[in-house]
Amino acid sequence: MKITFCCTDTKADPWLQGLAAALPGADITVWQPGAPVADYAVVWAPPQQFLDEQQGIQALFNIGAGVDALLQRRLPPGARVVRLDDAGMAVQMAEYVCHAVIRHFREFDQYEASMRAGQWAYRKPRLRQDLPVGVMGLGVLGERVAKALAQFEFPVNGWSRSPKAIDGTRAFSGQDGFNDFLAASRVLVNLLPLTPETQDILNRDTLARLQPGGYLINVARGAHLVEDDLLALLDSGHLAGAQLDVFRTEPLPVGHPFWSHPRISLTPHTSARTLLGESIAQIVGKIAALERGEAIAGVVDPVRGY
């Protein structure tokens, strides 16, 4: 069995060592131009040359949750694109979103500013029922986030393309339910995959449908958000703030207005990082299943984009 590793901006040695330990006897190498076709590949943002040369490869295992960048390439015919189902990312995403929601709800940013200014000041407690949270995208990550928020007794709304039932979550689905979902939410958490249909979905029209004093948490992709529309709604007061982890250009350019906006909090695309051990275990398990001729979870539909 031949496995090739082609991951941009990723240290190869830990992956090679982990894969070799889990698959003794497999031929595991870092891809070089002109290398023979492998049976399987572990990839992240591979160059088009790699994909052009790997005609006949059986499966491409994408080490991040999002496959949008890979699907923009010209893929080898017949090759499966396989995403990680979780690999330790769901609990990280739940931590991140719950932290962002609670920080906003409890106004900890205001307390921090007061304490830095030497002011011992209390703020009037807010009620959870006044802060319904809408989770947009109910895949593995979105479902974990919705369940975690419900544990803190926030009203939780969930929207997905097709109907989905999650305990503790009020379900909305399809285009018919989208505007009702937005109107029922004050905090909006975006966990959608990036597809042609979802690009720019966080725009002036959709964000304006949130309840007044809305708050945006974007942990999916920067291309979901129309940046100028967010700034306009913040400056108008319709939105109270935003927590952003992803951006159209990464790293975020110097001088970008997001850096200095007083109601925007930023993190450097770190809401849910790929965990090496969990990822290798999942990839190895799926390779073993494919070798046995079994179906596996996580195979991406190129038409839908996820």
Side-chain angles (χ1 to χ4, degrees):
M1 181 194 303
K2 288 184 175 293
I3 300 174
T4 187
F5 182 88
C6 185
C7 296
T8 303
D9 298 328
T10 303
K11 291 182 179 179
D13 286 347
W15 286 89
L16 298 182
Q17 294 166 10
L19 289 166
L23 293 168
D27 180 7
I28 304 169
T29 59
V30 175
W31 175 76
Q32 298 292 336
V37 176
D39 299 300
Y40 304 103
V42 177
V43 301
W44 179 253
Q48 186 61 55
Q49 182 182 357
F50 165 81
L51 298 168
D52 290 343
E53 291 183 359
Q54 292 294 309
Q55 302 293 307
I57 197 167
Q58 296 182 46
L60 304 165
F61 291 91
N62 194 66
I63 66 170
V67 295
D68 46 283
L70 184 56
L71 293 182
Q72 292 172 10
R73 307 286 195 195
R74 185 174 59 253
L75 300 175
R80 298 178 180 91
V81 174
V82 185
R83 57 175 170 75
L84 297 176
D85 301 320
D86 181 343
M89 288 185 281
V91 66
Q92 295 179 68
M93 191 64 79
E95 291 170 345
Y96 184 100
V97 172
C98 286
H99 175 272
V101 171
I102 292 168
R103 184 172 185 267
H104 173 61
F105 170 64
R106 295 287 303 273
E107 300 183 280
F108 287 144
D109 54 341
Q110 300 295 326
Y111 281 117
E112 289 167 5
S114 295
M115 296 300 276
R116 288 196 190 99
Q119 299 171 353
W120 187 275
Y122 291 105
R123 304 182 69 82
K124 182 180 178 180
R126 300 200 283 185
L127 302 177
R128 280 173 174 76
Q129 58 262 39
D130 293 335
L131 201 80
V133 183
V135 179
M136 192 162 61
L138 297 175
V140 174
L141 303 184
E143 180 173 350
R144 184 65 177 269
V145 166
K147 289 180 176 178
L149 289 165
Q151 289 295 309
F152 287 101
E153 301 182 11
F154 289 104
V156 180
N157 303 313
W159 182 85
S160 53
R161 180 175 173 177
S162 55
K164 189 165 187 179
I166 299 173
D167 288 345
T169 299
R170 181 185 177 193
F172 298 81
S173 64
Q175 201 57 46
D176 290 344
F178 187 54
N179 287 342
D180 290 340
F181 161 77
L182 294 170
S185 304
R186 178 160 280 117
V187 175
L188 180 64
V189 180
N190 178 39
L191 279 159
L192 290 173
L194 181 62
T195 68
E197 290 73 27
T198 65
Q199 183 168 333
D200 297 331
I201 195 169
L202 301 173
N203 55 49
R204 186 185 299 265
D205 177 64
T206 55
L207 295 175
R209 293 178 186 274
L210 296 175
Q211 295 176 10
Y215 192 84
L216 173 66
I217 301 170
N218 190 19
V219 286
R221 286 290 183 267
H224 284 128
L225 175 64
V226 179
E227 296 177 346
D228 287 344
D229 289 358
L230 171 63
L231 292 168
L233 288 168
L234 287 169
D235 292 343
S236 75
H238 183 74
L239 294 182
Q243 173 73 53
L244 306 178
D245 185 56
V246 290
F247 309 92
R248 285 184 176 266
T249 301
E250 296 182 1
L252 188 64
V254 174
H256 193 287
F258 284 175
W259 284 114
S260 58
H261 199 288
R263 290 191 292 280
I264 296 178
S265 298
L266 310 173
T267 50
H269 202 149
T270 192
S271 55
R273 304 287 293 275
T274 301
L275 299 182
L276 181 67
E278 288 86 343
S279 300
I280 288 175
Q282 189 175 132
I283 290 169
V284 168
K286 292 187 177 187
I287 288 175
L290 289 174
E291 289 290 294
R292 295 191 298 267
E294 298 172 1
I296 59 171
V299 177
V300 173
D301 180 343
V303 176
R304 292 193 306 172
Y306 58 92

